[in-house]
Each structure stands twice: as structure tokens, then as C-alpha cells.
Amino acid sequence: MEDFIYQLSKEILSDLHLEKMLINISDKIKSYIGAERASLFVYDDENNTLNSVVLLADTGKIKSVQIPVSKESIAGYTALSKKILNIKDVHDFDELYKIDKELRYHSHWLYIPEVKTESVISVPITRDGKVIGVFQAINKEGGFTKEDEKKLKKLAPLIALAIDRAVYLNRLEMLRSIEKTVLENVKEGVALIDLNLKVKEVNSSFIEMLGYRFLEEDIIGRSIFEIIPRLKEYEKKMDFVIQNQISEEISLEIMRIKIIPINWECFTRKDIKYLALIFNFPHG
């Protein structure tokens, strides 16, 4: 099992896309325990739902899945009870009734034509006593065993790490999308530079301001002083902004330039990650 844990850890740390990570982690654990299909759900405490994606075998397309946390589904009940459910036949009302008289089978697999669910194992994934997700696998010949329960219980902390990373990547993608939208919808030229004063992002107005002498790919990764040498005169001013987290404004010929510290809230460290240089220049 130690070798599998090592391989799964590598998968978690190497995947940089939320949907791909959820599918790949589920697929690897599914194969390890001998199940037909599996899903890893992320708990959304704001909407009290379990969210995931599944890969449709007939089309290869990804389908988003959202399940309310309630006794109306096995995954939802797992999140509520924080207990592992190992069910031999989800269509056996008596078996469900013995677990809880209100428990019902209403699975996301119902919406996938090629899958008919029989046995299910559903595992709560917790962090500091709070549910952050649910791992669920279906259909194993002869049903899931106590040994499968032990394996998944041992894997639960690693699955929790996968969920934490998935949430982090989702937040990062959201911020990236916001950043791109803002950059491309302001008239001023904007350049985002890192603390080494190298260019990380620019918008189309910045390219226009330079008279289209550079392509975007020619700018990214280069020192801002290589692109606009005159800014070298204001290097101490940029250092001041970094050290004091205070915006400053400078003049450069006919342009006014705002230097703004950017502090990304999504990172565990709270120090500045970028400086935004906003160039207010005459158009036309």
C-alpha cells in the first residue's frame, strides 16, 4: 500500500487542473480497490452541497455533478453522518432502512446511461473534524469488503490533501480569470511585475502604448527596465512601494504612472506578490 500512497501523492502534487485532478484521483483509487467507477466530491459549505465531475465513457465529455447534503442520497448521508457506508445493494430498501429509515438511493450515476449501480462504498473525508468531501466508489464483484474500508480509511488523509489542493487550484483559476478580465477591460496600459521587477502580465493597451514594438511573448519574463529604460530612474520609488505597501504615482514625460502593491489573499503568505504599473497616457 505504501507504493500506492507514494504514486497517489505524486499525482496530487503534479495535477494543476481541478477537474482533471478529481477524475484522476478517483480513477486511481477505483482501480486500487477493484471498483467499476468512483467519484471524489468537494463539500461547498456555502450552498451545503457536494460537487464533483464525472467522465462519460460513451462521449468522453465531463459532466458536472452537484448533490445536496441530505439523507436523500448516499453521498449526502455520508457527509451528514461522517461514517463509512458499505452497501451491498442500493436497491434493497431493507438494507438502507437498517442504516437509517430516511436514507434513500438517489445517485449522480443515475444520469449516466452506461452505469447501473449495485454496491456502494462511501467514505467521509474530514479535516479537523469537519467534512470537506466524500469519496464514493460503486460496483465491485462480491461487494466491498472490510479490507476495502480499512484501505480507504487509511487513504482518507491523502484524499483530504487532494481536496485541499483542488480547492486551492479552483480559487487560483478564479483569481486568474478575474485578473485577465480586469486587465483587458481598462483603457490604461497595465503591466504586472513580480518582486524582481520582471513582467508577468500586460494588457493590450500596454502593447499599444509601446507603439506595437513588442509582442506580448517578447515582454513576459523580461525586466520592466528593458522594456521602458526610463523607469530605472524610479527604482527606489518601486522599492518604497514594496517595503511600505503604499501606492505611489510618478510622471514620465506625458504619462502618469501609478505603482500599486498587489497582495493576493489566496496565498498563505500575506506579502506582496506583484506590483501593478498603471500607465495613463493620451490616446489617439
Side-chain angles (χ1 to χ4, degrees):
M1 184 171 190
E2 285 70 22
D3 184 58
F4 177 75
I5 290 175
Y6 173 71
Q7 293 299 326
L8 193 63
S9 300
K10 283 176 61 178
E11 187 77 38
I12 291 169
L13 294 174
S14 62
D15 257 331
L16 296 177
H17 190 274
L18 172 64
E19 291 179 346
K20 184 182 175 186
M21 175 188 285
L22 293 177
I23 290 172
N24 285 348
I25 296 302
S26 300
D27 201 49
K28 286 190 179 299
I29 299 175
K30 170 206 78 175
S31 299
Y32 180 64
I33 62 175
E36 180 186 346
R37 300 289 292 256
S39 284
L40 176 54
F41 293 91
V42 178
Y43 178 58
D44 177 359
D45 58 352
E46 185 176 341
N47 296 301
N48 198 32
T49 58
L50 293 167
N51 303 315
S52 188
V53 289
V54 292
L55 188 65
L56 304 182
D58 57 344
T59 64
K61 293 182 179 179
I62 292 173
K63 177 181 175 66
S64 297
V65 174
Q66 186 178 81
I67 297 177
V69 174
S70 71
K71 294 182 180 181
E72 293 296 313
S73 72
I74 292 170
Y77 185 89
T78 303
L80 283 174
S81 67
K82 300 182 184 178
K83 296 177 181 178
I84 293 178
L85 294 188
N86 187 348
I87 300 171
K88 297 293 183 185
D89 183 0
V90 295
H91 305 289
D92 184 343
F93 182 80
D94 289 337
E95 185 178 1
L96 298 183
Y97 190 86
K98 287 177 183 177
I99 297 170
D100 191 295
K101 63 182 180 181
E102 296 180 46
L103 178 60
R104 299 291 181 271
Y105 169 61
H106 179 74
S107 171
H108 58 296
W109 301 114
L110 287 171
Y111 304 105
I112 304 175
E114 71 269 15
V115 176
K116 182 182 179 182
T117 307
E118 295 176 355
S119 57
V120 169
I121 189 165
S122 193
V123 182
I125 307 301
T126 61
R127 170 78 75 208
D128 299 326
K130 295 181 180 179
V131 171
I132 62 172
V134 170
F135 175 82
Q136 189 176 90
I138 66 169
N139 297 347
K140 178 175 180 177
E141 189 174 351
F144 294 97
T145 65
K146 289 292 182 182
E147 185 61 28
D148 292 325
E149 292 182 30
K150 289 178 183 178
K151 287 179 180 178
L152 290 173
K153 194 171 183 180
K154 192 170 182 178
L155 287 172
L158 194 55
I159 299 173
L161 174 62
I163 290 176
D164 285 343
R165 185 162 166 78
V167 170
Y168 166 79
L169 290 175
N170 191 47
R171 180 81 181 274
L172 205 59
E173 286 178 4
M174 178 188 71
L175 289 174
R176 176 74 172 172
S177 176
I178 292 170
E179 171 193 315
K180 250 331 190 190
T181 301
V182 171
L183 278 175
E184 290 306 324
N185 284 278
V186 295
K187 292 181 179 180
E188 293 85 0
V190 179
L192 292 181
I193 61 176
D194 63 19
L195 300 192
N196 295 314
L197 306 184
K198 292 186 182 297
V199 180
K200 304 298 290 184
E201 295 282 349
V202 297
N203 67 355
S204 55
S205 293
F206 183 80
I207 303 293
E208 178 190 350
M209 181 193 78
L210 297 175
Y212 299 101
R213 289 181 290 113
F214 298 94
L215 297 175
E216 182 176 345
E217 54 264 34
D218 298 327
I219 295 173
I220 304 302
R222 292 173 64 180
S223 167
I224 189 65
F225 303 136
E226 290 183 57
I227 309 302
I228 307 177
R230 284 284 310 278
L231 281 176
K232 185 70 175 176
E233 301 171 23
Y234 299 97
E235 185 172 4
K236 288 185 179 179
K237 184 80 75 172
M238 294 182 189
D239 288 338
F240 176 84
V241 173
I242 291 171
Q243 295 300 323
N244 297 281
Q245 301 189 36
I246 297 173
S247 299
E248 286 287 320
E249 189 171 296
I250 61 176
S251 295
L252 189 64
E253 296 176 348
I254 61 173
M255 286 189 295
R256 298 194 68 78
I257 306 169
K258 291 181 181 177
I259 308 171
I260 302 173
I262 304 294
N263 188 351
W264 292 114
E265 291 293 335
C266 63
F267 295 105
T268 53
R269 293 180 62 192
K270 299 298 182 180
D271 54 345
I272 300 169
K273 291 295 177 183
Y274 295 119
L275 290 181
L277 304 182
I278 302 177
F279 298 79
N280 195 327
F281 63 98
H283 290 263

PDB file of all heavy atoms in Angstrom, residues 84-86 121 123 144-155:
ATOM      1  N   ILE A  84     -18.482   5.760   7.353  1.00  0.00           N
ATOM      2  CA  ILE A  84     -18.333   4.986   6.117  1.00  0.00           C
ATOM      3  C   ILE A  84     -19.590   4.153   5.902  1.00  0.00           C
ATOM      4  O   ILE A  84     -20.072   3.477   6.817  1.00  0.00           O
ATOM      5  CB  ILE A  84     -17.104   4.061   6.193  1.00  0.00           C
ATOM      6  CG1 ILE A  84     -15.812   4.880   6.240  1.00  0.00           C
ATOM      7  CG2 ILE A  84     -17.074   3.122   4.985  1.00  0.00           C
ATOM      8  CD1 ILE A  84     -14.555   4.042   6.374  1.00  0.00           C
ATOM      9  N   LEU A  85     -20.145   4.219   4.695  1.00  0.00           N
ATOM     10  CA  LEU A  85     -21.276   3.372   4.333  1.00  0.00           C
ATOM     11  C   LEU A  85     -20.792   2.317   3.351  1.00  0.00           C
ATOM     12  O   LEU A  85     -20.164   2.643   2.337  1.00  0.00           O
ATOM     13  CB  LEU A  85     -22.391   4.200   3.685  1.00  0.00           C
ATOM     14  CG  LEU A  85     -23.112   5.227   4.562  1.00  0.00           C
ATOM     15  CD1 LEU A  85     -24.299   5.806   3.796  1.00  0.00           C
ATOM     16  CD2 LEU A  85     -23.578   4.623   5.870  1.00  0.00           C
ATOM     17  N   ASN A  86     -21.067   1.065   3.650  1.00  0.00           N
ATOM     18  CA  ASN A  86     -20.711  -0.056   2.769  1.00  0.00           C
ATOM     19  C   ASN A  86     -22.000  -0.820   2.494  1.00  0.00           C
ATOM     20  O   ASN A  86     -22.482  -1.580   3.334  1.00  0.00           O
ATOM     21  CB  ASN A  86     -19.669  -0.950   3.442  1.00  0.00           C
ATOM     22  CG  ASN A  86     -19.150  -2.024   2.516  1.00  0.00           C
ATOM     23  OD1 ASN A  86     -19.699  -2.267   1.446  1.00  0.00           O
ATOM     24  ND2 ASN A  86     -18.076  -2.677   2.919  1.00  0.00           N
ATOM     25  N   ILE A 121     -19.538   1.936  -1.774  1.00  0.00           N
ATOM     26  CA  ILE A 121     -18.817   2.281  -0.548  1.00  0.00           C
ATOM     27  C   ILE A 121     -18.621   3.787  -0.571  1.00  0.00           C
ATOM     28  O   ILE A 121     -18.216   4.359  -1.589  1.00  0.00           O
ATOM     29  CB  ILE A 121     -17.477   1.525  -0.425  1.00  0.00           C
ATOM     30  CG1 ILE A 121     -16.888   1.751   0.973  1.00  0.00           C
ATOM     31  CG2 ILE A 121     -16.491   1.902  -1.523  1.00  0.00           C
ATOM     32  CD1 ILE A 121     -15.760   0.775   1.321  1.00  0.00           C
ATOM     33  N   VAL A 123     -17.203   7.171   1.671  1.00  0.00           N
ATOM     34  CA  VAL A 123     -16.286   7.492   2.767  1.00  0.00           C
ATOM     35  C   VAL A 123     -16.244   8.999   3.020  1.00  0.00           C
ATOM     36  O   VAL A 123     -15.968   9.774   2.090  1.00  0.00           O
ATOM     37  CB  VAL A 123     -14.864   6.990   2.435  1.00  0.00           C
ATOM     38  CG1 VAL A 123     -13.908   7.279   3.591  1.00  0.00           C
ATOM     39  CG2 VAL A 123     -14.877   5.512   2.091  1.00  0.00           C
ATOM     40  N   PHE A 144     -18.103  -4.680  -1.636  1.00  0.00           N
ATOM     41  CA  PHE A 144     -16.913  -4.132  -0.981  1.00  0.00           C
ATOM     42  C   PHE A 144     -16.709  -4.807   0.376  1.00  0.00           C
ATOM     43  O   PHE A 144     -17.662  -5.194   1.050  1.00  0.00           O
ATOM     44  CB  PHE A 144     -17.055  -2.613  -0.812  1.00  0.00           C
ATOM     45  CG  PHE A 144     -17.081  -1.877  -2.131  1.00  0.00           C
ATOM     46  CD1 PHE A 144     -18.294  -1.514  -2.709  1.00  0.00           C
ATOM     47  CD2 PHE A 144     -15.904  -1.579  -2.803  1.00  0.00           C
ATOM     48  CE1 PHE A 144     -18.334  -0.863  -3.927  1.00  0.00           C
ATOM     49  CE2 PHE A 144     -15.931  -0.924  -4.020  1.00  0.00           C
ATOM     50  CZ  PHE A 144     -17.151  -0.562  -4.592  1.00  0.00           C
ATOM     51  N   THR A 145     -15.454  -4.942   0.772  1.00  0.00           N
ATOM     52  CA  THR A 145     -15.099  -5.708   1.965  1.00  0.00           C
ATOM     53  C   THR A 145     -14.659  -4.789   3.108  1.00  0.00           C
ATOM     54  O   THR A 145     -14.455  -3.590   2.924  1.00  0.00           O
ATOM     55  CB  THR A 145     -13.945  -6.675   1.645  1.00  0.00           C
ATOM     56  OG1 THR A 145     -12.773  -5.896   1.311  1.00  0.00           O
ATOM     57  CG2 THR A 145     -14.312  -7.572   0.465  1.00  0.00           C
ATOM     58  N   LYS A 146     -14.493  -5.410   4.269  1.00  0.00           N
ATOM     59  CA  LYS A 146     -13.947  -4.687   5.415  1.00  0.00           C
ATOM     60  C   LYS A 146     -12.525  -4.220   5.124  1.00  0.00           C
ATOM     61  O   LYS A 146     -12.093  -3.164   5.588  1.00  0.00           O
ATOM     62  CB  LYS A 146     -13.960  -5.580   6.663  1.00  0.00           C
ATOM     63  CG  LYS A 146     -15.339  -5.858   7.224  1.00  0.00           C
ATOM     64  CD  LYS A 146     -15.964  -4.603   7.806  1.00  0.00           C
ATOM     65  CE  LYS A 146     -17.331  -4.889   8.426  1.00  0.00           C
ATOM     66  NZ  LYS A 146     -17.956  -3.640   8.946  1.00  0.00           N
ATOM     67  N   GLU A 147     -11.806  -5.008   4.339  1.00  0.00           N
ATOM     68  CA  GLU A 147     -10.448  -4.623   3.949  1.00  0.00           C
ATOM     69  C   GLU A 147     -10.465  -3.361   3.088  1.00  0.00           C
ATOM     70  O   GLU A 147      -9.602  -2.490   3.229  1.00  0.00           O
ATOM     71  CB  GLU A 147      -9.780  -5.777   3.185  1.00  0.00           C
ATOM     72  CG  GLU A 147      -8.321  -5.539   2.834  1.00  0.00           C
ATOM     73  CD  GLU A 147      -7.427  -5.344   4.052  1.00  0.00           C
ATOM     74  OE1 GLU A 147      -7.749  -5.887   5.136  1.00  0.00           O
ATOM     75  OE2 GLU A 147      -6.400  -4.646   3.911  1.00  0.00           O
ATOM     76  N   ASP A 148     -11.475  -3.243   2.214  1.00  0.00           N
ATOM     77  CA  ASP A 148     -11.627  -2.021   1.413  1.00  0.00           C
ATOM     78  C   ASP A 148     -11.884  -0.815   2.318  1.00  0.00           C
ATOM     79  O   ASP A 148     -11.359   0.279   2.085  1.00  0.00           O
ATOM     80  CB  ASP A 148     -12.788  -2.174   0.421  1.00  0.00           C
ATOM     81  CG  ASP A 148     -12.494  -3.203  -0.658  1.00  0.00           C
ATOM     82  OD1 ASP A 148     -11.324  -3.296  -1.069  1.00  0.00           O
ATOM     83  OD2 ASP A 148     -13.436  -3.903  -1.077  1.00  0.00           O
ATOM     84  N   GLU A 149     -12.692  -1.022   3.348  1.00  0.00           N
ATOM     85  CA  GLU A 149     -12.971   0.055   4.305  1.00  0.00           C
ATOM     86  C   GLU A 149     -11.678   0.514   4.983  1.00  0.00           C
ATOM     87  O   GLU A 149     -11.426   1.714   5.130  1.00  0.00           O
ATOM     88  CB  GLU A 149     -13.980  -0.415   5.353  1.00  0.00           C
ATOM     89  CG  GLU A 149     -15.380  -0.653   4.813  1.00  0.00           C
ATOM     90  CD  GLU A 149     -16.350  -1.068   5.901  1.00  0.00           C
ATOM     91  OE1 GLU A 149     -16.151  -0.650   7.069  1.00  0.00           O
ATOM     92  OE2 GLU A 149     -17.291  -1.819   5.604  1.00  0.00           O
ATOM     93  N   LYS A 150     -10.845  -0.454   5.388  1.00  0.00           N
ATOM     94  CA  LYS A 150      -9.583  -0.128   6.061  1.00  0.00           C
ATOM     95  C   LYS A 150      -8.655   0.648   5.122  1.00  0.00           C
ATOM     96  O   LYS A 150      -8.007   1.622   5.523  1.00  0.00           O
ATOM     97  CB  LYS A 150      -8.891  -1.400   6.544  1.00  0.00           C
ATOM     98  CG  LYS A 150      -9.589  -2.081   7.709  1.00  0.00           C
ATOM     99  CD  LYS A 150      -8.849  -3.369   8.097  1.00  0.00           C
ATOM    100  CE  LYS A 150      -9.565  -4.112   9.220  1.00  0.00           C
ATOM    101  NZ  LYS A 150      -8.875  -5.388   9.556  1.00  0.00           N
ATOM    102  N   LYS A 151      -8.587   0.189   3.862  1.00  0.00           N
ATOM    103  CA  LYS A 151      -7.732   0.868   2.885  1.00  0.00           C
ATOM    104  C   LYS A 151      -8.168   2.317   2.682  1.00  0.00           C
ATOM    105  O   LYS A 151      -7.350   3.237   2.684  1.00  0.00           O
ATOM    106  CB  LYS A 151      -7.778   0.135   1.540  1.00  0.00           C
ATOM    107  CG  LYS A 151      -7.038  -1.194   1.520  1.00  0.00           C
ATOM    108  CD  LYS A 151      -7.177  -1.851   0.149  1.00  0.00           C
ATOM    109  CE  LYS A 151      -6.440  -3.187   0.101  1.00  0.00           C
ATOM    110  NZ  LYS A 151      -6.621  -3.849  -1.221  1.00  0.00           N
ATOM    111  N   LEU A 152      -9.470   2.520   2.500  1.00  0.00           N
ATOM    112  CA  LEU A 152      -9.977   3.864   2.230  1.00  0.00           C
ATOM    113  C   LEU A 152      -9.851   4.768   3.463  1.00  0.00           C
ATOM    114  O   LEU A 152      -9.602   5.974   3.327  1.00  0.00           O
ATOM    115  CB  LEU A 152     -11.426   3.796   1.757  1.00  0.00           C
ATOM    116  CG  LEU A 152     -11.616   3.199   0.362  1.00  0.00           C
ATOM    117  CD1 LEU A 152     -13.087   3.022   0.041  1.00  0.00           C
ATOM    118  CD2 LEU A 152     -10.949   4.062  -0.692  1.00  0.00           C
ATOM    119  N   LYS A 153     -10.006   4.162   4.653  1.00  0.00           N
ATOM    120  CA  LYS A 153      -9.821   4.939   5.873  1.00  0.00           C
ATOM    121  C   LYS A 153      -8.381   5.416   5.993  1.00  0.00           C
ATOM    122  O   LYS A 153      -8.101   6.549   6.406  1.00  0.00           O
ATOM    123  CB  LYS A 153     -10.209   4.095   7.093  1.00  0.00           C
ATOM    124  CG  LYS A 153     -10.380   4.908   8.365  1.00  0.00           C
ATOM    125  CD  LYS A 153     -10.977   4.048   9.474  1.00  0.00           C
ATOM    126  CE  LYS A 153     -11.214   4.885  10.725  1.00  0.00           C
ATOM    127  NZ  LYS A 153     -11.788   4.073  11.824  1.00  0.00           N
ATOM    128  N   LYS A 154      -7.438   4.555   5.569  1.00  0.00           N
ATOM    129  CA  LYS A 154      -6.025   4.915   5.611  1.00  0.00           C
ATOM    130  C   LYS A 154      -5.692   5.964   4.544  1.00  0.00           C
ATOM    131  O   LYS A 154      -4.826   6.821   4.735  1.00  0.00           O
ATOM    132  CB  LYS A 154      -5.169   3.664   5.401  1.00  0.00           C
ATOM    133  CG  LYS A 154      -3.690   3.871   5.710  1.00  0.00           C
ATOM    134  CD  LYS A 154      -2.933   2.556   5.714  1.00  0.00           C
ATOM    135  CE  LYS A 154      -1.465   2.779   6.086  1.00  0.00           C
ATOM    136  NZ  LYS A 154      -0.716   1.487   6.130  1.00  0.00           N
ATOM    137  N   LEU A 155      -6.418   5.913   3.418  1.00  0.00           N
ATOM    138  CA  LEU A 155      -6.180   6.859   2.333  1.00  0.00           C
ATOM    139  C   LEU A 155      -6.868   8.209   2.563  1.00  0.00           C
ATOM    140  O   LEU A 155      -6.548   9.194   1.887  1.00  0.00           O
ATOM    141  CB  LEU A 155      -6.677   6.277   1.002  1.00  0.00           C
ATOM    142  CG  LEU A 155      -5.845   5.157   0.377  1.00  0.00           C
ATOM    143  CD1 LEU A 155      -6.581   4.569  -0.822  1.00  0.00           C
ATOM    144  CD2 LEU A 155      -4.474   5.677  -0.041  1.00  0.00           C
TER     145      LEU A 155
END
